Amino acid sequence: MSEDRRRSFWAWGYEDRLPDDEDRREMKAQLETLLGFPELPVMEYPTLADIDIPEPRIDVPDELADFATADRRARASRTYGKAYRDLVRGFHGDFSKAPDIVATPRNESDVEAAIAWATEANVAVVPFGGGTSVVGGVECGGDSYAGVLCLDMREMDRVLEVDEHSRSARIQAGATGPEIQDQLADHGLQLRHYPQSYEFSTYGGWVATRAGGHFATRYTHIDDFVESVRAVTPAGSLETRRLPASGAGPDPNRFLLGSEGAFGVITEGWTQVQPRPHHRARATMYFDDYWDAVEATREIVQARLYPANCRLLDSNEAMLNELAFDGSHLLVLGFESTDHPVGDDLERAMEIAEDHGGTCPEGPTIEDRSTGDEESDREDSSEGSWRDSFFEAPYRFNGLVSMGVLVDTFETAVTWDQFPDLHEALQENVVGAMEDECGAGFMSCRFTHVYEDGPAPYYTLIAPAEVGEELDQWRTIKQAASDTLMEHGATITHHHAVGRVHKDHYHEEVPDNYLDALQSMKRTLDPESIMNPGALL
């Protein structure tokens, strides 16, 4: 990466893409006018000289000197993830939880050396990929340790092997989404896993957090692509067998998928890939009534048409993304295939939507093309016109934080029969908490994924915060959301992982004896408990 395109040390993404003063004044006017927020400040962005970062508690050891540093910017950039509370702390210059050392291993031998040294020196090890966690997955104060070592995997960024016959690839943990696609393009293949963090998040991070991606149905998580995983643990290397499927006992991949670095460091894995789909069909259906749109979505997914995109945006979400301002709720549909036209599948989905009052003013779009680059492919395929806004949203969040606005998201999954009560309770409890804490609040909802037995709704919160009190206000609102999810039988997270933020509610969600089994696995693989302490377990 060139120095003139470096990433921000406190905010999401590249420094040169932070909203400028004109952008922020425009956002300020929109919030004050459209949402009725009180007058908002426009504060200066922090500089590296402004921040409070403690001196390292430990020195870089000789055995890691070739690939480790205690550089101030390196440590600051890897202190937090990119959730609201992370941005707030970073914006106000609080880097008290900065790691003491940042190591960037070049190969698995470097990873082994780092873990061996940390075990001997009683140093906590925090695996780090793109730094895009929104659940406190990469921050570690390490108060009971001699120090904290951030193990940044970004130097291990290669696609090592491609099996074109089986359509799978062996990918190193530090490869980002664009890097994977660029390397697979030489073989005419793609991974087609597009989380919102796609630009910066890594393959290892996707596996470690069970990340959700591009497809709204069928292939919803990275789990659905993974064939095998390799990791380095304090007790030695662990590698699962590369297989399309197996019925041999509990799946060993499951101990690494979603493990969040608590057992070891994922270094690589074999993953299914595919050619670029030439056949596509998409349409946006408009609804006057939200629950009619929900029923249409349920019937489409239960018809087993398997759309790649089946995302329902409520009227607030449609307005937030500047797609509709007339109160309409939007169902964005998209189908794709590498083999055959998919217009008939879209037509049937549209018929179902029309039966529930949906209309399609712009009409459907049918594509059959054999040329085109990946970037235009990703923007145009089965995601519709809202995708630009989807990928730009984290950059807007940076600007909102600098204006004293509380902006956060949470997501879940619940069965169709329980969704209406959950949705109504969240509207009452979470919006109520925002109004009590901040005087006003706005909440929108979209379905990111849909299953035959239930949706995965994703909520965005916006409220005017009191500068200096943002985190206390956020905790109250977050607690109201999390408690409501638990009370209505929903999951605390569908694809954002557990980290440190969701840990208590995750422990409510799973059986106690299952947690005991995970703790036993941790004692086996990480006997000194140095691996990402405080995350997950």
Side-chain angles (χ1 to χ4, degrees):
M1 183 193 309
S2 62
E3 282 302 307
D4 61 348
R5 198 80 203 286
R6 66 184 181 182
R7 290 180 62 181
S8 170
F9 69 88
W10 72 272
W12 172 273
Y14 294 115
E15 288 182 332
D16 61 7
R17 288 180 65 185
L18 288 173
D20 60 23
D21 288 349
E22 182 179 350
D23 293 331
R24 292 193 291 164
R25 284 193 293 270
E26 183 178 337
M27 288 191 289
K28 167 184 162 72
Q30 290 175 338
L31 292 172
E32 292 171 357
T33 302
L34 294 178
L35 302 186
F37 282 10
E39 185 173 356
L40 300 169
V42 179
M43 297 175 280
E44 293 295 321
Y45 290 133
T47 67
L48 195 62
D50 298 330
I51 71 173
D52 177 21
I53 184 169
E55 291 298 314
R57 293 171 290 176
I58 50 177
D59 296 326
V60 176
D62 292 341
E63 51 264 56
L64 308 185
D66 287 347
F67 61 95
T69 182
D71 173 76
R72 179 180 172 88
R73 184 181 185 92
R75 295 171 59 221
S77 301
R78 294 162 179 84
T79 302
Y80 300 125
K82 294 298 182 285
Y84 171 73
R85 70 181 194 130
D86 302 327
L87 298 180
V88 168
R89 288 179 291 179
F91 179 78
H92 290 297
D94 174 12
F95 287 82
S96 56
K97 292 183 178 292
D100 300 282
I101 298 174
V102 175
T104 53
R106 301 152 297 186
N107 49 51
E108 197 166 286
S109 295
D110 285 349
V111 176
E112 292 169 346
I115 291 178
W117 170 79
T119 301
E120 183 68 24
N122 187 36
V123 169
V125 176
V126 179
F128 193 96
T132 60
S133 172
V134 293
V135 293
V138 297
E139 74 174 73
C140 177
D143 294 339
S144 61
Y145 297 84
V148 176
L149 169 68
C150 171
L151 204 59
D152 187 330
M153 301 297 290
R154 284 286 292 110
E155 289 295 314
M156 298 176 62
D157 59 359
R158 294 174 53 213
V159 174
L160 298 172
E161 287 185 71
V162 176
D163 176 354
E164 296 184 26
H165 196 64
S166 303
R167 288 188 179 173
S168 55
R170 183 162 69 101
I171 304 170
Q172 287 187 306
T176 64
E179 288 169 342
I180 293 169
Q181 299 302 72
D182 287 346
Q183 294 176 71
L184 289 177
D186 294 338
H187 304 270
L189 297 168
Q190 303 174 338
L191 177 51
R192 298 193 70 71
H193 178 78
Y194 301 119
Q196 193 170 32
S197 59
Y198 170 85
E199 186 175 15
F200 302 109
S201 56
T202 62
Y203 173 76
W206 299 342
V207 174
T209 61
R210 301 184 62 198
H214 170 74
F215 293 96
T217 65
R218 189 177 277 178
Y219 306 107
T220 59
H221 285 71
I222 194 66
D223 311 30
D224 302 311
F225 298 95
V226 169
E227 290 180 337
S228 70
V229 182
R230 180 173 174 83
V232 174
T233 80
S237 295
L238 178 65
E239 184 172 12
T240 63
R241 178 170 292 190
R242 181 191 169 205
L243 295 167
S246 172
D251 185 355
N253 282 319
R254 293 294 171 178
F255 284 113
L256 295 174
L257 284 156
S259 60
E260 301 190 36
F263 304 138
V265 181
I266 293 166
T267 56
E268 64 180 62
W270 277 96
T271 299
Q272 297 174 22
V273 293
Q274 61 179 295
R276 183 178 65 83
H278 300 317
H279 305 278
R280 299 184 182 84
R282 63 180 184 271
T284 299
M285 307 298 298
Y286 289 69
F287 293 83
D288 293 330
D289 183 85
Y290 180 67
W291 295 107
D292 286 344
V294 170
E295 280 301 292
T297 306
R298 180 184 64 81
E299 287 194 21
I300 288 169
V301 69
Q302 289 181 346
R304 297 193 172 184
L305 296 171
Y306 300 121
N309 194 3
C310 188
R311 287 176 170 83
L312 174 61
L313 286 63
D314 74 1
S315 57
N316 282 351
E317 183 77 9
M319 181 181 70
L320 191 65
N321 289 277
E322 300 181 350
L323 298 178
F325 294 93
D326 61 355
S328 295
H329 312 280
L330 275 54
L331 177 57
V332 182
L333 294 169
F335 292 81
E336 61 182 41
S337 172
T338 63
D339 176 71
H340 58 274
V342 288
D344 289 348
D345 291 332
L346 175 64
E347 182 180 354
R348 177 60 191 137
M350 292 177 67
E351 288 174 355
I352 293 173
E354 289 165 353
D355 288 344
H356 290 275
T359 61
C360 184
E362 298 106 354
T365 298
I366 311 296
E367 296 179 358
D368 181 1
R369 59 186 182 182
S370 57
T371 60
D373 60 70
E374 164 58 22
E375 189 63 23
S376 64
D377 177 43
R378 179 167 64 87
E379 293 300 321
D380 293 341
S381 70
S382 69
E383 293 300 331
S385 59
W386 67 278
R387 177 161 287 281
D388 283 342
S389 179
F390 175 72
F391 279 102
E392 283 298 318
Y395 284 100
R396 292 201 301 272
F397 282 16
N398 296 336
L400 292 173
V401 167
S402 75
M403 295 157 52
V405 175
L406 190 158
V407 54
D408 199 10
T409 65
F410 66 93
E411 37 71 53
T412 187
V414 71
T415 53
W416 289 111
D417 65 312
Q418 296 192 73
F419 174 66
D421 287 344
L422 170 67
H423 186 71
E424 294 297 333
L426 288 170
Q427 294 285 344
E428 179 179 351
N429 297 341
V430 180
V431 175
M434 285 192 286
E435 292 174 347
D436 290 343
E437 289 292 317
C438 305
F442 173 92
M443 184 167 76
S444 66
C445 177
R446 70 174 182 265
F447 291 173
T448 59
H449 305 77
V450 285
Y451 304 91
E452 290 186 46
D453 48 352
Y458 185 108
Y459 294 88
T460 298
L461 316 176
I462 304 178
E466 181 178 347
V467 177
E469 303 297 326
E470 299 104 321
L471 294 185
D472 287 339
Q473 293 174 316
W474 169 82
R475 288 187 191 97
T476 299
I477 296 165
K478 178 68 173 177
Q479 189 72 33
S482 299
D483 288 347
T484 303
L485 296 180
M486 292 294 98
E487 290 165 6
H488 287 265
T491 178
I492 191 61
T493 176
H494 172 264
H495 58 265
H496 278 173
V498 176
R500 292 165 177 82
V501 171
H502 290 154
K503 182 172 59 178
D504 291 344
H505 288 89
Y506 167 67
H507 290 186
E508 287 183 43
E509 182 174 327
V510 298
D512 290 341
N513 50 4
Y514 178 71
L515 285 172
D516 291 341
L518 289 182
Q519 292 283 12
S520 177
M521 175 64 75
K522 183 170 178 66
R523 287 191 294 270
T524 298
L525 298 177
D526 180 21
E528 301 302 322
S529 196
I530 65 165
M531 298 305 307
N532 209 10
L536 186 66
L537 299 171

